[in-house]
Amino acid sequence: LCYAVDVDAMLDLTADGHGTKVGSSMYPAFSKYFDPALSERYPHDMEKAKELLDQAGYPDGFAFTIKVPSNYTPHVNTAVVLAEQLKAVGITAQIQQVDWNTWVSEVYGNRDFEATVVGFDASTLSASSLLARWTSDNGKNMINYNNPDYDVAFAAAQASVDEQERTTQYKRCLQILSDTAANVYLQDLADFVAINPALEGYQFYPLYVMDMSTIRYQ
C-alpha cells in the first residue's frame, strides 16, 4: 500500500501542494524529532507494490473499505485519491462516508473498520503525546499496533532523564513505525490563516489552537 500511493500527487490533488510529506507519526513542526528522510522510505513504485502483493498471496489484488468521516472534506478527498491510486495496482477501495459521531464510536472507539483516513494531533506539544498511542497497551491504539521493539524504545524514552538519549529513543520509535509500515503516512495538512494587515504577533502552533493573546494592532 505504501509503495502504491503517490504522496507527491496526493499533496497536489488534495492541498494544492501546500502540505508537508511525513513518513511516520511526527509533526514536521516538532523539528527536534521529525526525520524528513522517512518521508522517502516508500517512494511511489507500482511494480514493487505489485511484487509485494504477489508475495503476500494477492496477485490479483484485493478489496477493502475506507470508512471516512464525511464532515472532513480533506479526509474524503484523500480517500478518493487513495482509491484511484490503489486501483492502478489492482486494489479496490470502497469509500464509506459516515458522520463524525459514528466515526468516533465505530472506528476510533470500537475499532470496527478495515481502513480509514484521519489526522492525529497531540493533547500537549510533546513527542510523548504523539507516540504513546502506538504502544501495545494504549487504549487509543486504534490500529492495534503491537511491536515489542517499539514498546521498549518508547519506555526507554520515557525513563531517560538525558534529553539527547530521550530524543534518540523517540526517533527510534519513528523509525520502527516507518520500517513496519504501521500506517500509510501521507501529509501534515497545511494550515491557512487570514490575518488583517493591521494586526501583528500571530504565532502558528502545530495544533488547531490559536493563541489570541499575542495578537495586537500595529
Side-chain angles (χ1 to χ4, degrees):
L1 291 174
C2 293
Y3 282 116
V5 174
D6 186 344
V7 181
D8 289 310
M10 175 70 68
L11 265 65
D12 289 338
L13 291 167
T14 62
D16 290 331
H18 292 293
T20 302
K21 293 168 65 173
V22 296
S24 196
S25 296
M26 184 56 60
Y27 285 130
F30 288 22
S31 56
K32 182 164 62 175
Y33 309 108
F34 182 70
D35 184 355
L38 295 181
S39 65
E40 306 299 332
R41 173 68 174 79
Y42 300 97
H44 184 224
D45 189 336
M46 291 193 296
E47 293 308 311
K48 181 68 174 179
K50 292 177 181 177
E51 176 188 336
L52 292 175
L53 282 170
D54 186 51
Q55 291 177 14
Y58 299 97
D60 300 318
F62 60 94
F64 71 102
T65 299
I66 304 175
K67 193 178 291 187
V68 61
S70 58
N71 59 308
Y72 280 91
T73 301
H75 295 17
V76 175
N77 292 344
T78 297
V80 171
V81 176
L82 280 172
E84 286 300 312
Q85 292 186 348
L86 294 175
K87 188 186 300 183
V89 296
I91 299 173
T92 301
Q94 301 289 341
I95 299 173
Q96 179 186 358
Q97 295 191 43
V98 297
D99 63 81
W100 178 241
N101 287 336
T102 300
W103 187 93
V104 171
S105 174
E106 293 184 1
V107 178
Y108 190 72
N110 296 331
R111 303 176 188 181
D112 178 17
F113 70 105
E114 293 179 307
T116 190
V117 176
V118 66
F120 285 114
D121 58 15
S123 57
T124 60
L125 297 178
S126 67
S128 174
S129 186
L130 280 168
L131 300 177
R133 72 169 62 247
W134 307 126
T135 54
S136 58
D137 60 351
N138 192 287
K140 296 180 180 180
N141 184 0
M142 59 176 287
I143 64 170
N144 299 322
Y145 187 70
N146 191 333
N147 187 301
D149 291 336
Y150 184 89
D151 290 348
V152 169
F154 185 81
Q158 293 292 93
S160 178
V161 295
D162 179 78
E163 182 65 21
Q164 184 173 351
E165 172 63 17
R166 188 161 57 245
T167 299
T168 297
Q169 293 298 338
Y170 281 140
K171 285 189 172 182
R172 173 63 181 151
C173 288
L174 296 172
Q175 186 70 55
I176 293 171
L177 291 173
S178 175
D179 289 345
T180 58
N183 300 282
V184 179
Y185 291 103
L186 300 174
Q187 64 171 312
D188 180 38
L189 286 170
D191 288 328
F192 297 98
V193 179
I195 303 175
N196 187 311
L199 298 173
E200 65 181 7
Y202 183 85
Q203 298 181 41
F204 278 97
Y205 291 91
L207 294 169
Y208 57 84
V209 173
M210 292 188 182
D211 181 5
M212 303 299 290
S213 67
T214 65
I215 300 175
R216 58 194 173 275
Y217 283 99
Q218 298 184 38

